[in-house]
C-alpha cells in the first residue's frame, strides 16, 4: 500500500507506525483476502506513479477520484465523502470562497486542494507544501492568507493549532477510493468485493 502519512485521521504516524482509518481499513481488506499488508510512506504525488508502475499494488491515501488520475490508474468503489475547505486565522477578513481571489493559499502539493486553488481561484498565489501541516504552520505564522485542504484533515489540524478556524462553505464535493493499476482487474474485483462486505 502506497500512502502519504501526513493526513490525519486517514494516515499519520504514531511513533514509527503508520496508523489511521486508511491503514486499518486496508488491513481489514487484506485480512479478508488472506493477504499481507505492507505500508510504504512516500510523497503524496508519488502515490499514483507507484501504483501505475507496479511498485505498489494499491494506493490508499484519502485519494480523491478525479478524471486526471483515472488516466493513469483505476479506482475501487468509493469509501468516504470529503470536500475541500478553507482554513483561515480567526480574525481573517476571508469569509468564504469568493474572498480567496488574489490571496496566497497554502496547499499540499499534488492534492485536489492544489488543483482547485490553481485552476479556480482568480489571481491566487498558490504555495505548495510537501505536507499539509506545513501549510497550516505557515498560516499560523502569517506567511499565507488561507489553507485549502480536505475537510476531515482540516479538523484535525485546526485542533492542533492556535487561532485558526474552518469556513463553513466547502469548495468541492469529493469521494475517496483505492487506486489500483489499470491492468490489475483481478485485484480490483477482490477489493470491491471485500469493500462491499466490510
Ligand atoms: N483528497 C485529496 C486528494 O486526493 C488529498 C489527499 C491527501 N492525502 C494524503 N495522504 N496526504 O488530492
Amino acid at each position: 500500500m502506497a500512502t502519504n502519512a501526513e493526513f490525519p485521521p486517514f494516515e499519520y504516524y504514531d511513533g514509527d507506525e503508520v496508523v489511521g482509518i486508511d491503514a486499518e481499513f486496508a488491513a481489514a481488506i487484506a485480512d479478508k483476502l488472506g493477504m499481507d499488508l505492507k505500508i510504504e510512506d512516500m510523497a503524496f504525488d508519488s502515490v499514483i506513479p507507484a501504483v501505475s508502475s507496479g511498485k505498489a499494488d494499491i494506493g490508499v491515501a484519502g485519494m480523491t477520484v478525479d478524471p486526471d488520475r483515472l488516466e493513469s490508474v483505476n479506482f475501487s468503489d468509493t469509501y468516504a465523502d470529503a470536500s475541500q475547505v478553507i482554513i483561515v486565522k480567526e480574525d481573517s477578513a476571508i469569509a468564504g470562497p469568493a474572498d480567496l481571489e488574489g490571496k496566497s493559499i497554502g496547499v499540499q502539493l499534488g492534492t485536489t486542494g492544489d488543483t482547485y486553488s490553481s485552476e479556480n481561484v482568480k489571481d491566487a498565489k498558490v504555495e505548495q507544501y510537501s505536507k499539509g501541516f506545513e501549510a497550516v504552520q505557515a498560516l499560523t505564522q502569517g506567511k499565507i492568507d488561507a489553507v485549502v485542504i480536505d475537510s476531515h484533515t482540516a479538523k484535525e489540524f485546526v485542533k492542533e493549532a492556535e487561532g485558526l478556524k474552518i469556513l463553513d462553505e466547502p469548495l468541492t464535493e469529493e469521494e475517496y477510493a483505492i487506486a489500483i493499476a489499470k491492468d490489475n482487474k483481478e485485484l480490483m474485483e477482490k477489493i470491491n468485493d471485500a469493500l462491499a462486505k466490510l
Side-chain angles (χ1 to χ4, degrees), residues 4 7 11 44 61-64 69 108 110-112 150 174 176:
N4 167 251
F7 199 64
E11 44 267 334
F44 182 70
M63 175 83 65
T64 302
R69 292 172 180 164
Q108 185 183 19
T111 59
T112 45
D150 299 53
E174 305 185 0
Y176 296 163

Side-chain angles (χ1 to χ4, degrees), residues 48 51-52 56-60 69-70 72-77 177-192 195:
I48 298 263
V51 171
S52 62
D57 298 304
I58 53 175
V60 195
R69 292 172 180 164
L70 277 165
S72 345
V73 292
N74 283 337
F75 280 103
S76 69
D77 295 335
I178 299 174
I180 305 171
K182 282 200 181 287
D183 56 8
N184 204 347
K185 296 263 155 45
E186 194 190 326
L187 184 61
M188 174 67 85
E189 263 175 44
K190 284 186 179 165
I191 285 185
N192 278 338
L195 243 163

Side-chain angles (χ1 to χ4, degrees), residues 124-194:
K125 271 196 23 231
V126 179
E127 304 283 349
Q128 298 165 316
Y129 296 86
S130 64
K131 304 176 180 181
F133 193 65
E134 290 171 354
V136 173
Q137 284 173 321
L139 177 63
T140 307
Q141 293 160 6
K143 292 182 182 157
I144 52 176
D145 300 313
V147 170
V148 170
I149 196 160
D150 299 53
S151 47
H152 307 290
T153 301
K155 282 188 201 135
E156 298 293 322
F157 286 164
V158 164
K159 261 198 285 182
E160 302 291 310
E162 286 270 298
L164 302 182
K165 64 178 179 189
I166 301 171
L167 300 183
D168 289 336
E169 197 179 329
L171 299 168
T172 60
E173 280 180 22
E174 305 185 0
E175 286 180 315
Y176 296 163
I178 299 174
I180 305 171
K182 282 200 181 287
D183 56 8
N184 204 347
K185 296 263 155 45
E186 194 190 326
L187 184 61
M188 174 67 85
E189 263 175 44
K190 284 186 179 165
I191 285 185
N192 278 338
D193 213 49

Side-chain angles (χ1 to χ4, degrees), residues 89-126:
K89 284 203 165 175
E90 260 157 17
D91 59 359
S92 172
I94 301 173
D99 301 326
L100 284 178
E101 186 176 327
K103 295 291 192 294
S104 54
I105 304 173
V107 297
Q108 185 183 19
L109 175 70
T111 59
T112 45
D114 184 1
T115 2
Y116 179 90
S117 304
S118 309
E119 289 172 5
N120 298 59
V121 184
K122 201 164 162 249
D123 300 327
K125 271 196 23 231
V126 179

